[in-house]
Amino acid sequence: MSNRPELQAPPEIFYDDAEARKYTSSSRIAEIQTKLSERALELLALPDDGVPRLLLDIGCGSGLSGETITENGHQWIGLDISHSMLNVALEKEVEGDLLLGDMGQGLGLRPGVIDGAISISAVQWLCNADKSSHEPRLRLKAFFGSLYRCFARGARAVLQVYPENLAQHELILSYAMRAGFAGGVVVDYPHSTKRRKEYLVLTCGPPSLSTAVPCGKGEDGESCSDDDSSGDEENQTVSISDRHRPRKKQKINKKGKGREWVLKKKEQMRRKGNVVPPDTKYTARKRKARF
Amino acid sequence: MRLLTHNMLSSNIKGVTNGFPLRIEVEKVVEKEVEINHDFLRNIFPKIDWKAFSDASRIMGYVELPEEAPEPSVLESDLEFLRKFHHALLELHLEEGALVCPETGRKFPVNKGIPNMLLHEDEV
Ligand SMILES: C[S@@+](CC[C@H](N)C(=O)[O-])C[C@H]1O[C@@H](n2cnc3c(N)ncnc32)[C@H](O)[C@@H]1O
C-alpha cells in the first residue's frame, strides 16, 4: 500500500489543521522543508547583485519556504489551496503576501512581472483528479501556461516535485515544455530512494548561458546505503530537454562527423594500445540509405 | 495583502479578457513598517502599472502619490519620492475587504489579509 498523501485526499482536505500544525511542531518537517527551499533557491541562481527580486512560492503552505526566500533578501507572493496551512503562515507573520488559490486553475497574474518562482513538494498534486471536474492534463496546462506568462524574460522556476512514477514525471515535464519553458531536471542523491530529490529547473525565454541546467548533488557515489546497483543509466542525473534547440544544429549532428574525425579517433585509440581495424577506402564512407 | 501584490493580480475567470486592475473594497487597512530598499524599488518600478497603483493607494486612504507615472530619474535622486513609493507599495495592507473583477463584478473576499482567489467550477 502506498502512503502517498496525494492518494489519501485532495490537498485542501489533507492539509487540515492537524497536518498544518506539524509544520510548526515537528522540527524534522521544518528542517526538511527548509533544506529543500534552500536548495531550490540555490538552483534558481538569481544574479548575485544584492537586488531583491519578486518571487512566487507555489504551494507556500506554512511559509517555511517563504521564510527562506525572505532570509535571502527577496520579496515573495505565496499561493496555497489550504486554509489551515495559510493560517500557520499568518501566525508566523511571514513577510510575503499570501493568496488562497488553486494553481490548477491557473495563476491570475499580469504578464511579464515575476522574476522567478520556487515550489516545494506541491506540483505533483496536480496529477490527481480530486473532483469529477478535474482533468489533470488541463490543470497542468493551466498552471504552466499561466506561470510562463507571468514571468519576466529570463525568469526561472525551480519546482521540487515527488512524482509517483515515471509516467507522472514525464507528464509534468511535458506540460512544462509545452508551455514554452526550456530546462530540465536536476536530481540530488539519485541512488538513494529516501534522499532522492527531484527539481524541475525551468527557464522562460530563448536559451542562454543561464538556461544550462546545473548538476545534481551526490552524483559521484556519495554514500547511499539503500541502493547500490549503479548501472550507467542510473548515473544519468541530469536530463535536458530543450525545445529551443535549433533544428539546424541537430541536422549537422545527424550527418556524422566525417572521415577525418574518424581517422583521428582511430589513431588515438591505436596510441592507447587498442586493437583498431586498419584504415581503408571504406573507412567512414557513407552508406546508402537501403543498407 | 500589499499594493505590490494587488498590482500584479488580475482576474482569472474564464472568458474575462481584461481582469486588471481588480477594484478594491476596503473594510480595514493596516500599516506595517518595513525597511526601505532602494534597489528593490528601482527594480520593480518599471513593472508597476502606475495608474492602478496610485488609484489603489488613494482607495486605501493614502493620497501622497502622483497620479501620473513619474520619470524614472526620480528614483535616482528624489528620496522623498522613494519613501512614499515604498510606503504605498509595501507598508499598506488590505486586511479586510474584497477585490472585485472589473469585468464581471465577481467579488474575491479578503480576510485576515488573504485574498480568496479560488474560482467556482463554472468559472474555470
Ligand atoms: C509539502 S507542502 C509545502 C509546504 C510549504 N513549502 C511550507 O513551507 O510550509 C505542499 C503544499 O502544496 C499545497 N498545494 C497542493 N495542491 C495545491 C494546489 N492545487 N494549489 C495550491 N497549493 C497546493 C498544499 O496545500 C501544501 O500546503
Side-chain angles (χ1 to χ4, degrees), chain A residues 39 42 52 88 110 145 159-160 229 265:
Chain A
R39 177 67 169 141
E42 186 187 345
V88 173
R110 273 204 291 135
L159 317 172
Q160 184 270 322
S229 65
K265 265 285 169 253

Side-chain angles (χ1 to χ4, degrees), chain B residues 45-116:
Chain B
F45 178 76
K47 293 183 191 151
I48 297 291
D49 181 303
W50 193 267
K51 172 132 186 20
F53 177 52
S54 75
D55 287 353
S57 71
R58 257 170 275 279
I59 293 168
M60 300 274 277
Y62 186 71
V63 295
E64 309 274 317
L65 290 181
E67 270 178 56
E68 294 286 315
E71 289 300 313
S73 60
V74 299
L75 292 158
E76 301 308 322
S77 51
D78 190 340
L79 290 181
E80 188 53 23
F81 170 76
L82 283 168
R83 198 190 53 74
K84 290 176 182 168
F85 181 29
H86 166 77
H87 178 68
L89 192 70
L90 300 172
E91 296 188 322
L92 296 177
H93 296 247
L94 180 64
E95 188 69 6
E96 299 290 333
L99 301 175
V100 185
C101 170
E103 230 176 82
T104 63
R106 150 79 140 96
K107 273 190 197 183
F108 299 96
V110 178
N111 299 118
K112 293 193 275 182
I114 303 181
N116 178 346

Side-chain angles (χ1 to χ4, degrees), chain A residues 11 15 23 33 59-65 79-82 85 101-104 120-122 125-126 139:
Chain A
Y15 290 100
Y23 281 72
Q33 287 294 311
C60 64
S62 68
L64 287 163
S65 39
L79 176 88
D80 205 284
I81 199 171
S82 156
M85 291 293 275
D102 176 358
M103 64 173 129
I120 307 300
S121 323
W125 281 96
L126 290 179
R139 288 168 56 74

Side-chain angles (χ1 to χ4, degrees), chain A residues 75 97 100 106 108 110 115, chain B residues 2 5 7-8 12 47 117:
Chain A
Q75 292 285 348
D97 276 335
L100 181 64
R110 273 204 291 135
D115 298 318
Chain B
R2 300 165 294 180
T5 300
N7 207 263
M8 305 305 158
N12 199 19
K47 293 183 191 151
M117 303 308 289

Side-chain angles (χ1 to χ4, degrees), chain A residues 49-54 73 75-77 79-81 83 86-87 90 95-102 104-110 112-115 131-133 146 152, chain B residues 1-12 20 22 32 34-35 37 39-40 43-44 47-49 89-90 93 99 111-121 124:
Chain A
D49 54 9
V51 177
R53 301 300 203 280
L54 177 59
Q75 292 285 348
W76 56 277
I77 300 172
L79 176 88
D80 205 284
I81 199 171
H83 247 296
L86 291 176
N87 276 334
L90 275 186
E95 292 189 29
D97 276 335
L98 306 170
L99 302 172
L100 181 64
D102 176 358
Q105 298 180 336
L107 312 168
L109 294 166
R110 273 204 291 135
V113 291
I114 303 294
D115 298 318
K131 293 184 183 152
S132 57
S133 61
S146 61
Chain B
M1 182 204 63
R2 300 165 294 180
L3 292 190
L4 167 66
T5 300
H6 171 259
N7 207 263
M8 305 305 158
L9 274 179
S10 83
S11 165
N12 199 19
F20 181 84
L22 293 158
K32 293 179 200 161
V34 290
E35 210 178 304
N37 185 312
D39 286 335
F40 177 71
N43 187 55
I44 199 80
K47 293 183 191 151
I48 297 291
D49 181 303
L89 192 70
L90 300 172
H93 296 247
L99 301 175
N111 299 118
K112 293 193 275 182
I114 303 181
N116 178 346
M117 303 308 289
L118 287 169
L119 299 178
H120 307 307
E121 272 176 27
V124 184

Side-chain angles (χ1 to χ4, degrees), chain A residues 146-197:
Chain A
S146 61
L147 184 68
Y148 188 85
R149 282 191 296 277
C150 76
F151 267 6
R153 248 181 108 79
R156 244 188 201 205
V158 177
L159 317 172
Q160 184 270 322
V161 288
Y162 286 121
E164 189 179 356
N165 47 40
L166 195 63
Q168 268 193 11
H169 164 102
E170 295 288 328
L171 186 69
I172 296 174
L173 198 61
S174 72
Y175 275 90
M177 297 299 143
R178 244 186 248 195
F181 282 108
V185 182
V186 172
V187 181
D188 286 352
Y189 313 110
H191 310 296
S192 159
T193 40
K194 273 213 192 98
R195 292 176 72 202
R196 185 182 194 282
K197 293 288 178 305

Side-chain angles (χ1 to χ4, degrees), chain A residues 14-79:
Chain A
F14 177 82
Y15 290 100
D16 58 4
D17 286 349
E19 184 65 25
R21 191 49 57 208
K22 294 185 193 163
Y23 281 72
T24 44
S25 62
S26 157
S27 57
R28 195 184 67 88
I29 290 188
E31 197 191 316
I32 293 174
Q33 287 294 311
T34 305
K35 275 227 176 92
L36 294 173
S37 311
E38 280 167 358
R39 177 67 169 141
L41 270 172
E42 186 187 345
L43 291 170
L44 203 56
L46 292 164
D48 190 14
D49 54 9
V51 177
R53 301 300 203 280
L54 177 59
L55 307 181
L56 293 180
D57 184 356
I58 294 147
C60 64
S62 68
L64 287 163
S65 39
E67 284 176 320
T68 308
I69 300 180
T70 301
E71 274 162 29
N72 279 263
H74 301 289
Q75 292 285 348
W76 56 277
I77 300 172
L79 176 88

